[in-house]
C-alpha cells in the first residue's frame, strides 16, 4: 500500500569544491515552518544520482532538512580532471568540502549501495560530523580480498575511458530508459533492480537533452569504481571506528541476499562498536528505497526519530 507523502519543494544547489562544482538539491520535508534541527545528507549509489531519494524523502518525518549531492562524475556534477580517479575516499573528501562550505556541523548520513560504502568511510574519517549512519541495502563490499588483476582491470578501463575521443552516443528517450533499466541487472538471468518508473525519476540527472535525444551526464571514468582496492580487512577496520548509531536496511532481493552468516563479522563489528545497531529486512530489490519507498520509510523514520530523541536528551543533559 502506498503511503501518503508530505510536501517537498526541492531547491537546486551548486558548490565550488576547488577543482570543479558539485551540484545537487536540498529541501525541508513538509512546510518550512516544520523545520527542526535534523539534517540528513543522502549519498547515492554507483552511476545513480541525487534523484535516487526522491520517492523516499516525502515519507520521512516532517521538519527534516535533506541534502543530496551528485557525486563527482555523476549526475549534474563536474567530472574529475584527466589523471584523477574515482574511489570512495575521493567521494568522501569532496563531500567533506561541500558540507564545510555549507556550514553543516552535525547530520545523519544516509547512503545507498556504493554511497553506503562512501558514507561508512566518511564516518570513519570525519566522525565529528555524523550523528547516525543509515545503510540502504549495503553491509560490505562485494569482494572478499583484492587481487592485483582487478586493480589492473580498473586502471585499464580508466585509461581507456580517458583515451576515447569520440562523440557521445545520442539515445532516444525510450532507448535511454531501457538502457538504464538493463544496466541495473547485476547478474546474468536476474531482474533489473529498477523499473521504468524509477528510471524516469533518475533520467533528468542521468542524461541531458541534445538535438535528437539524450546523452549520458556521468563520466565514463566513474564506471570502474575501485571498490576492489579496499580489502575486507580494510572494511572491518574502518567500520570498527564507527561509534554513532547505525541502521542497515536489507532488501530480500538486493545485493545482501546471501545468508546472514556471510555478513556475521561485519554485523558483529557494528554491534560491538556502534552506540546501537539496528538491522531490518524489507521485501524488494536493491533499489527498493526508490521503487517501493513505503516499505523502507517506516524503519528509516523510526530510526531517525530515535536518533533525534537521543540527541535532544544529550543536549538537555549538558545544560
Amino acid at each position: 500500500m502506498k503511503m501518503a507523502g508530505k510536501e517537498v519543494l526541492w531547491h537546486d544547489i551548486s558548490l565550488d569544491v576547488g577543482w570543479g562544482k558539485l551540484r545537487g538539491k536540498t529541501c525541508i520535508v513538509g512546510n518550512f515552518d516544520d523545520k527542526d534541527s535534523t539534517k540528513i545528507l543522502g549519498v547515492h549509489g554507483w552511476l545513480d544520482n541525487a534523484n535516487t531519494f526522491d520517492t523516499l524523502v516525502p515519507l520521512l518525518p516532517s521538519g527534516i532538512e535533506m541534502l543530496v549531492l551528485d557525486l563527482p562524475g555523476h549526475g549534474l556534477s563536474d567530472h574529475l580532471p584527466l589523471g584523477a580517479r574515482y574511489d570512495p575516499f575521493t567521494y568522501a573528501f569532496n563531500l567533506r568540502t561541500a558540507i564545510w562550505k555549507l556550514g553543516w556541523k552535525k547530520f545523519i548520513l544516509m547512503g545507498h549501495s556504493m554511497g553506503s560504502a562512501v558514507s561508512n568511510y566518511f564516518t570513519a574519517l570525519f566522525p565529528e560530523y555524523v550523528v547516525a549512519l543509515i545503510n540502504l541495502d549495503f553491509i560490505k563490499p562485494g569482494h572478499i580480498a583484492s587481487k592485483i588483476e582487478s586493480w589492473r582491470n580498473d586502471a585499464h578501463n580508466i585509461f581507456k575511458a580517458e583515451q576515447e575521443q569520440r562523440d557521445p552516443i545520442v539515445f532516444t528517450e525510450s532507448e535511454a530508459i531501457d538502457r538504464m533499466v538493463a544496466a541495473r541487472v547485476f547478474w546474468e538471468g536476474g531482474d533489473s533492480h529498477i523499473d521504468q518508473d524509477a528510471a524516469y525519476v533518475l533520467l533528468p540527472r542521468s542524461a541531458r537533452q541534445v538535438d535528437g535525444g539524450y546523452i549520458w551526464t556521468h563520466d565514463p571514468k566513474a564506471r570502474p569504481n575501485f571498490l576492489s582496492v579496499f580489502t575486507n580487512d580494510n572494511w572491518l577496520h574502518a567500520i570498527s571506528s564507527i561509534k554513532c548509531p547505525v541502521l542497515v536496511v536489507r532488501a530480500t532481493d538486493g545485493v545482501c541476499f546471501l545468508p546472514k552468516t556471510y555478513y556475521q563479522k561485519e554485523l558483529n563489528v557494528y554491534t560491538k562498536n556502534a552506540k546501537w545497531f539496528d538491522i531490518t529486512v524489507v521485501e524488494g530489490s536493491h533499489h527498493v528505497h526508490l521503487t517501493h519507498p513505503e516499505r523502507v520509510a517506516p524503519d528509516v523514520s523510526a530510526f531517525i526519530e530515535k536518533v533525534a530523541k537521543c540527541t535532544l536528551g544529550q543536549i538537555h543533559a549538558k545544560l
Side-chain angles (χ1 to χ4, degrees):
M1 179 182 295
K2 296 288 186 180
M3 298 172 61
K6 304 176 186 67
E7 179 184 358
V8 169
L9 180 61
W10 290 101
H11 300 279
D12 292 334
I13 191 169
S14 178
L15 298 166
D16 188 337
V17 291
W19 56 267
K21 291 183 178 181
L22 296 188
R23 296 177 178 88
K25 54 188 186 177
T26 184
C27 73
I28 304 298
V29 181
N31 296 318
F32 188 83
D33 292 341
D34 296 329
K35 182 179 178 181
D36 61 26
S37 61
T38 303
K39 298 178 183 289
I40 299 179
L41 173 60
V43 188
H44 65 77
W46 179 62
L47 299 188
D48 285 345
N49 56 59
N51 286 3
T52 192
F53 300 111
D54 275 14
T55 59
L56 176 61
V57 169
L59 305 182
L60 299 181
S62 296
I64 290 172
E65 183 177 358
M66 187 81 193
L67 168 68
V68 192
L69 296 169
D70 294 330
L71 292 172
H74 291 71
L76 303 182
S77 288
D78 288 343
H79 298 181
L80 289 178
L82 291 177
R85 80 178 192 194
Y86 296 92
D87 63 42
F89 283 162
T90 298
Y91 295 135
F93 294 154
N94 278 277
L95 288 175
R96 163 65 176 79
T97 301
I99 60 100
W100 176 77
K101 288 264 186 177
L102 289 171
W104 278 32
K105 303 296 185 183
K106 299 285 185 180
F107 51 86
I108 296 172
L109 199 50
M110 179 168 67
H112 169 245
S113 194
M114 186 189 77
S116 288
V118 174
S119 297
N120 278 264
Y121 283 121
F122 184 102
T123 305
L125 290 166
F126 311 113
E128 64 274 18
Y129 288 101
V130 185
V131 298
L133 175 64
I134 300 172
N135 294 329
L136 300 180
D137 203 45
F138 191 91
I139 298 177
K140 70 175 182 179
H143 58 276
I144 298 299
S146 297
K147 297 179 180 180
I148 190 65
E149 290 84 0
S150 66
W151 302 352
R152 288 171 177 162
N153 184 58
D154 284 347
H156 170 76
N157 289 335
I158 289 285
F159 182 77
K160 182 180 178 182
E162 289 185 342
Q163 295 302 310
E164 288 178 350
Q165 299 294 329
R166 64 174 186 238
D167 293 331
I169 299 174
V170 178
F171 301 99
T172 66
E173 182 177 285
S174 61
E175 287 174 337
I177 292 297
D178 288 345
R179 289 179 70 88
M180 290 176 66
V181 173
R184 286 158 178 82
V185 177
F186 288 174
W187 47 82
E188 187 175 353
D191 295 326
S192 178
H193 289 159
I194 67 171
D195 54 21
Q196 287 200 343
D197 288 343
Y200 272 108
V201 174
L202 297 172
L203 182 64
R205 305 184 83 90
S206 291
R208 62 183 176 87
Q209 284 189 283
V210 296
D211 289 341
Y214 291 81
I215 60 173
W216 302 127
T217 57
H218 68 258
D219 189 341
K221 300 195 304 296
R223 292 194 191 107
N225 56 42
F226 273 94
L227 280 178
S228 60
V229 170
F230 305 103
T231 65
N232 201 48
D233 287 344
N234 175 295
W235 180 252
L236 289 171
H237 185 70
I239 67 174
S240 68
S241 70
I242 295 176
K243 309 300 181 184
C244 66
V246 177
L247 169 66
V248 169
V249 179
R250 179 180 173 187
T252 54
D253 297 318
V255 297
C256 306
F257 66 93
L258 292 172
K260 189 176 179 180
T261 53
Y262 179 77
Y263 310 100
Q264 200 58 57
K265 286 184 179 179
E266 289 73 23
L267 300 179
N268 289 344
V269 169
Y270 280 130
T271 300
K272 179 181 178 181
N273 295 286
K275 185 176 181 65
W276 75 75
F277 174 59
D278 296 334
I279 183 168
T280 187
V281 180
V282 299
E283 182 180 354
S285 66
H286 186 48
H287 284 75
V288 65
H289 70 284
L290 172 61
T291 59
H292 296 88
E294 72 280 359
R295 301 175 187 173
V296 176
D299 292 315
V300 171
S301 296
F303 179 78
I304 292 170
E305 290 171 347
K306 183 178 177 182
V307 169
K309 290 178 181 178
C310 178
T311 304
L312 185 61
Q314 291 174 341
I315 292 173
H316 287 322
K318 294 179 180 179
L319 295 178

